[in-house]
Amino acid sequence: MADQQQYTTETNYKPTPPSDTSKTDVHFSDISHPKEILSMLNNLRINEQLCDVTLLVGSKKILCHKVVLSAASPYFQAMFTGGLMESQLSEIKMHVHDEQAFSEIIDYFYSSRIDIKDTNVQDYVPIAGMLQLKRLQQACCDFMKRNIDAQNCLGLYEFADSHSCQQLAQVAFSYSVNHFNEVLQTDKFCSISLDFVNKLLSDNALNVTSEERVFEAAVAWIEYDRERRMCHAAQVCRNIRFSLLTPEYLMDRVATESVVRDSRECSDLLMEAIEFRLLPKRKPQSAVAQVLPRKAALTQQILYVVGGMSRREATKSGEKYDPKEGRWKAIAEMSISRFGANMASLGSSIFVCGGGDEASRLNTAEKFDSFHNVWIPLEPMSCKRNGVGVASLGGKIYAIGGFDGSSPLSSAECYDPKTMKWSQIASMSQARFGVGCCVLNGEIYAIGGSDGCNLRSCERYDPETNTWIVIASMSVARKQVACAAMGDCVYAIGGSDIYAVSGTSADHAGRYQTVERYSPDTDQWIMVSPLLSPRSGAGAGVLDGLLYVCGGFDGHQYLNTVEKYDPLTNRWTIGPPMIQSRDCVAVCVATCKRNKRLTTERDVLPRSSSPLTFSSAYNPLNLSNQTSAS
């Protein structure tokens, strides 16, 4: 009885809550829970336990759980919850050609992992498209974009076009345009479709040193299957800018080509060009449109870093990184030293705004012309902004938040290069300095920062409505956070929180090594692979599908190190170090003039070149097969 009385007394005991409940509340989040749930579901499937549907794919029978399929794929969700006949079946036949690829994608549902390779990537894409697996399809397209070369770019364009992979199609097409002379040497060129060859040969940016090369390409494509393609000869030849050909080439080469002689419309094009060249005062209207030269790609993307703290002093120096050369080079110095500034690019110009020097916070801004390697002062901003976020959108430069020397700022303004004036835009929902900013899908994101307390909160700006919208908060507060948009996501990299508890992810005196990624589709942040070293005050930019993070402070020293993140492998690797250590550095990617054209002297077709010879094993436009002019 005594025992019973004791038990009753204990279970009825209700402790008095403390007056400040915030000190005792614990918001527990088990980060291993999702992984363990997936692992358990996969074990149930492997052991054929609680499975309620079998997918029939060729000779394979794949046991699954409807709830997992529905959660992983909108296609299966519609099938099992939309009242379709399949929702009542225990066996469902899947109409796919590659049973191995389909089976591996089902494994991906249960593990969140899949190995994308050259041998399977094109098998995954149509299945991912059918099952509406947006992220997997994007990962496959990113993988193929990373591996584009002259041998496969034409095939990848046709593949991407047929599966509505627009970004991949654009990248593959641009590569074909920029490497046209290399592409012509491949067997694939002469087997591309009529629509594709017209699109390629008509492109204004086609990288050729002479229009003669375009003529030879058109003839080669037609002659590859002359019987079927002669009816399209005029359509293909209209893409050639005959007016750019010399009179000698027109008479010695074009006029003697059988494709031209055997087509009345092609002959008319030749006569118009001859008339244009020999009788310019009587130039026909149709020839005028074909007189402009091609605008071959003469620019490339370059990573720029400027300013920051180095050796406990603000610096005015800057440098640039060309991924093709793999090294950093110094650029012209700014007019004044800046740390805590930020910058963005419009075309070839870089705009750096705000920051501070040893004496004060700055409201000044200046523009760097990368073609001429000079800085040009701009009209000052409406207020001083150190720790400012800067982004470019719609031909304008936006300066967001910052610290004016007395208080954090929620205000924002934009600079219009056409009027050379700053104008106010809507203020953020809260003040932020040390804020990360980037642009994704036509909107500006403001990530973290500090209003006196370091912030987890984030928001985005819609320039169409001039409004800020609060989005999901990050998992931790991040001040001086590097920020960049890549793919369909925003990345928050490193940063600091001096109030973080020692021993957490913010070691090194509160500097973070962690990185998280935000998806607008789900309005959620998830952790990705951490940096190799913690850093705050770093800058970020995207080059060739890789996320570069430059400089910063690790809690002990200013950094000149660079890390590169590959979203396909979720891994960071070391990049070439900067010339100078830089904390609170401004970073962006902009265009730079190429030193030389992509083509070489041997790619240029001789003016009096004779026709190509075609054999049964045709090698398109192989110059070694050309006969000399008679």
Side-chain angles (χ1 to χ4, degrees):
M1 187 69 179
D3 292 341
Q4 178 65 36
Q5 179 64 39
Q6 178 66 28
Y7 174 80
T8 303
T9 301
E10 290 180 358
T11 55
N12 288 337
Y13 173 71
K14 295 181 179 179
T16 303
S19 58
D20 185 0
T21 58
S22 65
K23 294 181 179 179
T24 60
D25 289 350
V26 174
H27 301 285
F28 175 68
S29 177
D30 186 354
I31 60 175
S32 65
H33 181 70
K35 185 176 181 180
E36 290 176 355
I37 288 290
L38 269 182
S39 178
M40 181 57 70
L41 287 169
N42 197 33
N43 287 335
L44 291 172
R45 179 177 69 109
I46 292 171
N47 296 323
E48 301 183 5
Q49 295 176 315
L50 302 180
C51 296
D52 53 3
V53 67
T54 301
L55 303 179
L56 306 178
V57 187
S59 61
K60 275 183 175 288
K61 289 187 176 182
I62 306 173
L63 275 68
C64 302
H65 305 90
K66 289 182 180 179
V67 66
V68 175
L69 298 180
S70 299
S73 163
Y75 173 89
F76 283 119
Q77 185 181 51
M79 176 185 289
F80 296 134
T81 64
L84 300 180
M85 178 184 67
E86 287 86 351
S87 64
Q88 306 300 319
L89 301 178
S90 60
E91 291 189 347
I92 300 172
K93 184 175 180 60
M94 301 302 299
H95 299 283
V96 295
H97 297 294
D98 194 308
E99 58 187 64
Q100 181 63 30
F102 188 88
S103 178
E104 290 168 358
I105 287 178
I106 297 299
D107 291 340
Y108 160 71
F109 287 177
Y110 283 84
S111 67
S112 76
R113 296 178 180 276
I114 193 167
D115 292 327
I116 302 174
K117 308 173 185 176
D118 287 330
T119 55
N120 61 25
V121 64
Q122 293 194 20
D123 299 324
Y124 287 161
V125 169
I127 299 173
M130 180 187 77
L131 301 182
Q132 301 174 42
L133 307 177
K134 182 179 177 181
R135 288 189 295 273
L136 177 58
Q137 190 174 39
Q138 184 63 51
C140 290
C141 290
D142 288 345
F143 177 88
M144 289 186 282
K145 282 191 288 186
R146 197 80 53 79
N147 292 280
I148 286 180
D149 57 32
Q151 292 293 326
N152 64 24
C153 60
L154 299 177
L156 284 180
Y157 171 82
E158 293 182 327
F159 175 83
D161 190 51
S162 66
H163 291 93
S164 301
C165 301
Q166 296 180 354
Q167 288 185 353
L168 175 60
Q170 181 58 47
V171 171
F173 182 77
S174 296
Y175 191 97
S176 304
V177 167
N178 288 332
H179 299 79
F180 186 65
N181 283 285
E182 298 172 48
V183 168
L184 290 182
Q185 305 299 323
T186 67
D187 295 332
K188 179 64 179 175
F189 174 75
C190 283
S191 62
I192 63 176
S193 67
L194 173 65
D195 289 342
F196 190 8
V197 77
N198 282 328
K199 179 180 175 70
L200 192 59
L201 298 186
S202 64
D203 196 277
N204 194 44
L206 197 65
N207 190 20
V208 291
T209 54
S210 168
E211 197 67 17
E212 298 171 11
R213 203 64 172 144
V214 184
F215 175 78
E216 299 295 349
V219 171
W221 185 87
I222 295 167
E223 287 284 9
Y224 184 77
D225 192 356
R226 184 185 178 99
E227 183 178 348
R228 297 183 181 182
R229 294 179 176 177
M230 267 304 295
C231 61
H232 305 301
Q235 182 181 354
V236 174
C237 287
R238 286 193 194 98
N239 301 311
I240 304 167
R241 304 184 180 187
F242 286 101
S243 301
L244 299 179
L245 298 171
T246 64
E248 295 86 356
Y249 188 85
L250 287 170
M251 298 305 297
D252 297 342
R253 176 66 182 98
V254 179
T256 59
E257 171 54 53
S258 62
V259 168
V260 176
R261 292 198 313 266
D262 296 344
S263 168
R264 176 62 182 272
E265 291 176 288
C266 289
S267 297
D268 289 344
L269 292 173
L270 170 62
M271 293 309 298
E272 286 182 1
I274 292 174
E275 183 177 355
F276 179 85
R277 299 291 297 190
L278 301 181
L279 303 170
K281 293 183 179 180
R282 293 169 54 185
K283 58 186 176 185
Q285 187 63 36
S286 60
V288 175
Q290 292 293 319
V291 74
L292 296 176
R294 310 274 180 171
K295 296 179 181 178
L298 298 175
T299 58
Q300 58 186 337
Q301 295 293 303
I302 299 292
L303 182 66
Y304 288 87
V305 300
V306 301
M309 290 292 290
S310 181
R311 298 179 183 177
R312 300 188 180 276
E313 293 181 340
T315 179
K316 62 176 70 175
S317 69
E319 38 192 305
K320 66 179 182 180
Y321 174 73
D322 181 348
K324 291 181 172 57
E325 295 183 8
R327 60 192 179 96
W328 293 87
K329 293 181 180 179
I331 61 172
E333 292 186 340
M334 295 180 289
S335 61
I336 56 175
S337 299
R338 298 176 189 268
F339 73 94
N342 226 315
M343 64 181 183
S345 66
L346 288 174
S348 63
S349 298
I350 297 168
F351 297 77
V352 63
C353 307
D357 56 19
E358 287 85 354
S360 63
R361 276 74 179 180
L362 303 171
N363 67 344
T364 58
E366 45 193 314
K367 178 179 75 172
F368 178 69
D369 183 342
S370 60
F371 286 144
H372 300 97
N373 195 34
V374 295
W375 289 94
I376 303 167
L378 304 176
E379 177 179 305
M381 295 180 290
S382 64
C383 60
K384 299 176 181 179
R385 298 181 185 271
N386 189 25
V388 63
V390 178
S392 63
L393 180 62
K396 297 179 180 179
I397 298 296
Y398 292 78
I400 299 161
F403 183 75
D404 64 4
S406 60
S407 61
L409 303 172
S410 62
S411 65
E413 52 192 306
C414 73
Y415 177 80
D416 188 341
K418 294 179 181 178
T419 63
M420 297 186 291
K421 298 290 183 182
W422 289 93
S423 59
Q424 292 291 317
I425 63 170
S427 295
M428 294 181 289
S429 64
Q430 68 185 114
R432 302 175 187 273
F433 71 94
V435 60
C437 287
C438 66
V439 173
L440 178 65
N441 297 331
E443 295 178 309
I444 299 174
Y445 285 75
I447 307 301
S450 174
D451 64 355
C453 295
N454 295 343
L455 301 172
R456 296 172 55 233
S457 65
C458 308
E459 47 194 306
R460 67 172 175 238
Y461 174 74
D462 183 348
E464 295 295 326
T465 60
N466 190 32
T467 55
W468 289 91
I469 301 170
V470 175
I471 63 172
S473 295
M474 296 179 290
S475 64
V476 294
R478 297 177 189 268
K479 175 188 174 184
Q480 295 179 332
V481 56
C483 181
M486 182 168 59
D488 292 325
C489 296
V490 172
Y491 289 79
I493 306 141
S496 66
D497 186 0
I498 60 173
Y499 304 107
V501 178
S502 178
T504 68
S505 58
D507 287 333
H508 287 256
R511 269 70 192 179
Y512 280 113
Q513 196 168 349
T514 57
V515 180
E516 43 193 315
R517 180 176 69 198
Y518 173 79
S519 170
D521 292 340
T522 62
D523 190 32
Q524 289 182 341
W525 290 91
I526 63 170
M527 286 290 184
V528 298
S529 183
L531 291 160
L532 300 177
S533 62
R535 57 183 80 212
S536 64
V542 177
L543 276 178
D544 297 334
L546 298 175
L547 177 58
Y548 285 73
V549 176
C550 308
F553 182 65
D554 67 1
H556 304 298
Q557 60 183 344
Y558 300 131
L559 304 174
N560 71 336
T561 56
V562 175
E563 299 185 36
K564 301 183 293 182
Y565 175 74
D566 185 341
L568 290 181
T569 62
N570 190 30
R571 284 172 45 187
W572 291 90
T573 55
I574 295 294
M578 298 182 293
I579 300 170
Q580 186 175 344
S581 300
R582 300 175 187 271
D583 179 30
C584 298
V585 61
V587 176
C588 76
V589 174
T591 56
C592 181
K593 188 176 181 180
R594 291 188 187 275
N595 293 326
K596 58 183 178 181
R597 295 179 63 93
L598 293 173
T599 50
T600 61
E601 186 174 344
R602 64 182 179 84
D603 290 322
V604 181
L605 199 66
R607 177 174 295 176
S608 58
S609 171
S610 62
L612 299 173
T613 58
F614 305 99
S615 64
S616 57
Y618 177 62
N619 185 7
L621 297 186
N622 189 331
L623 295 184
S624 61
N625 288 341
Q626 289 181 243
T627 56
S628 59
S630 58

